[in-house]
Amino acid sequence: MGTKETIVELNAEFGIASVARVVEGKGGLPKVEVTCTAATGEMYLLGGEVTSWKPRGREETLFVSAASKWEGGKAIRGGVPVCFPWFGNKADDPKAPAHGFVRAKAWRLDSIERKGDAVTVSMSITSDEGTKKWWPAEFRLVQRTTFGAELVMELEMTNSGSAPQRFEEALHTYFRVGDITKARVRGLDGIRYIDKTDGFREKRQQGDVVIGKETDNVYLDTAHAVEIEDPAMGRRIRVSKENSLATVVWNPWIEKAKAMSDMGDEEWRQFVCVETCNVAKHAVGLEAGAQHRMRAAITISKF
Ligand code: BG6
């Protein structure tokens, strides 16, 4: 069955008239398009990835690169890639894909539900022979996203095998900003972080995070919310979370952006990644049969 037929069938099974449809997205890839009273949004089956969320009356919240590749086997550049079961490079295998393997694979659409004036889309990925090549575990990972006045993303991991598992996870959210040099991330003052641009040295944040160079910081012991202030777009983005103990702040800045084949040379100005995650010493241990759910909730207000 071709992708076009699959899209038609998925839409017939899951579409909700004038609220949610499964359509051909960029690169002919299947995506769910949501239009409800509170917001519009979209989510691709590739990577189970949210690529758009626009609360009613406001501008787009997420950044997606104009140079993104939009093909199976490659991660979308922007939106909210799901990193799992490791973050960054795999410690014991330099050949393994960065940020794990689920962001470049096709997920399954499980359900679309209307909930009041919001819509929840659930997608999942289950271990198979392909995933076991990289990671021997049996698992089911669900990305459940509610598009409404808030954007709520729940990443739910079930250890369906018979042995304990240990994994890292991230909702690698690319937030669109009007001008990165004027934006700041608040709520991390005094927090210890790993500076990946400086040999993974541990440091302590002083004041707000202001991006004036390549920034790749893993903030530890951060269960609390943070805010992005974006005066150029006149808005404040609040990221609250549950069951997440780390927060990554990333921007590639000039040289790294230029070196990336799926990012425009000037696009580093237009986003900051603030990632809800469990990485490094906060990797999650899960007994056989157990479940872990990490949640991020995003709201927008006037600056
Ligand atoms: C960040 C990492 O989360 O993602 C960075 O901390 C990395 O080290 C960045 O460069 C982008 O990764 P990728 O694999 O999508 O290019």
Side-chain angles (χ1 to χ4, degrees), residues 77 87 98-99 103 172 174 196 216 248 250 260 275:
R77 176 63 67 193
F87 182 79
H99 288 328
R103 65 176 178 161
H172 191 308
Y174 287 72
K196 290 175 74 175
D216 194 355
V248 171
W250 178 66
M260 290 164 79
E275 309 171 31

Side-chain angles (χ1 to χ4, degrees), residues 66-145:
S68 179
K69 301 287 187 222
W70 305 104
E71 36 181 281
K74 292 214 164 74
I76 297 167
R77 176 63 67 193
V80 190
V82 174
C83 306
F84 174 91
W86 57 85
F87 182 79
N89 295 325
K90 189 166 190 266
D92 57 0
D93 184 358
K95 290 207 193 93
H99 288 328
F101 45 75
V102 301
R103 65 176 178 161
K105 283 180 86 79
W107 291 39
R108 208 183 104 129
L109 175 58
D110 290 329
S111 65
I112 305 179
E113 286 171 87
R114 187 191 217 145
K115 288 188 181 157
D117 57 3
V119 170
T120 300
V121 181
S122 261
M123 295 188 189
S124 65
I125 184 164
T126 309
S127 50
D128 59 19
E129 288 321 305
T131 65
K132 284 182 192 161
K133 256 194 357 208
W134 299 114
W135 198 52
E138 305 266 356
F139 70 89
R140 177 158 188 264
L141 186 68
V142 176
Q143 156 67 305
R144 192 179 298 115
T145 299

Side-chain angles (χ1 to χ4, degrees), residues 41-55:
E42 53 177 44
M43 186 168 171
Y44 276 76
L45 273 72
L46 175 61
E49 176 159 344
V50 177
T51 52
S52 169
W53 172 58
K54 235 197 259 192

Side-chain angles (χ1 to χ4, degrees), residues 23-49:
V23 295
E24 198 176 304
K26 297 225 168 88
L29 297 167
K31 73 171 179 186
V32 176
E33 208 173 67
V34 170
T35 311
C36 53
T37 329
T40 62
E42 53 177 44
M43 186 168 171
Y44 276 76
L45 273 72
L46 175 61
E49 176 159 344

Side-chain angles (χ1 to χ4, degrees), residues 53 55 58-63 149-151 153 173-178 183-187 225-231 233-240 270-274 276 297-303:
W53 172 58
R58 299 201 187 271
E59 290 191 61
E60 177 60 57
T61 308
L62 302 175
F63 164 86
E150 274 190 302
L151 177 71
M153 293 178 285
T173 314
Y174 287 72
F175 289 104
R176 181 173 168 228
V177 295
R184 53 180 60 223
V185 182
R186 304 189 74 123
V226 299
E227 281 188 355
I228 302 165
E229 277 184 5
D230 178 10
M233 283 183 79
R235 71 182 179 185
R236 186 175 273 127
I237 302 171
R238 185 176 177 81
V239 185
S240 319
Q270 299 167 31
F271 74 90
V272 59
C273 288
V274 174
T276 295
I298 293 147
T299 50
I300 310 287
S301 58
K302 272 216 168 90
F303 177 65

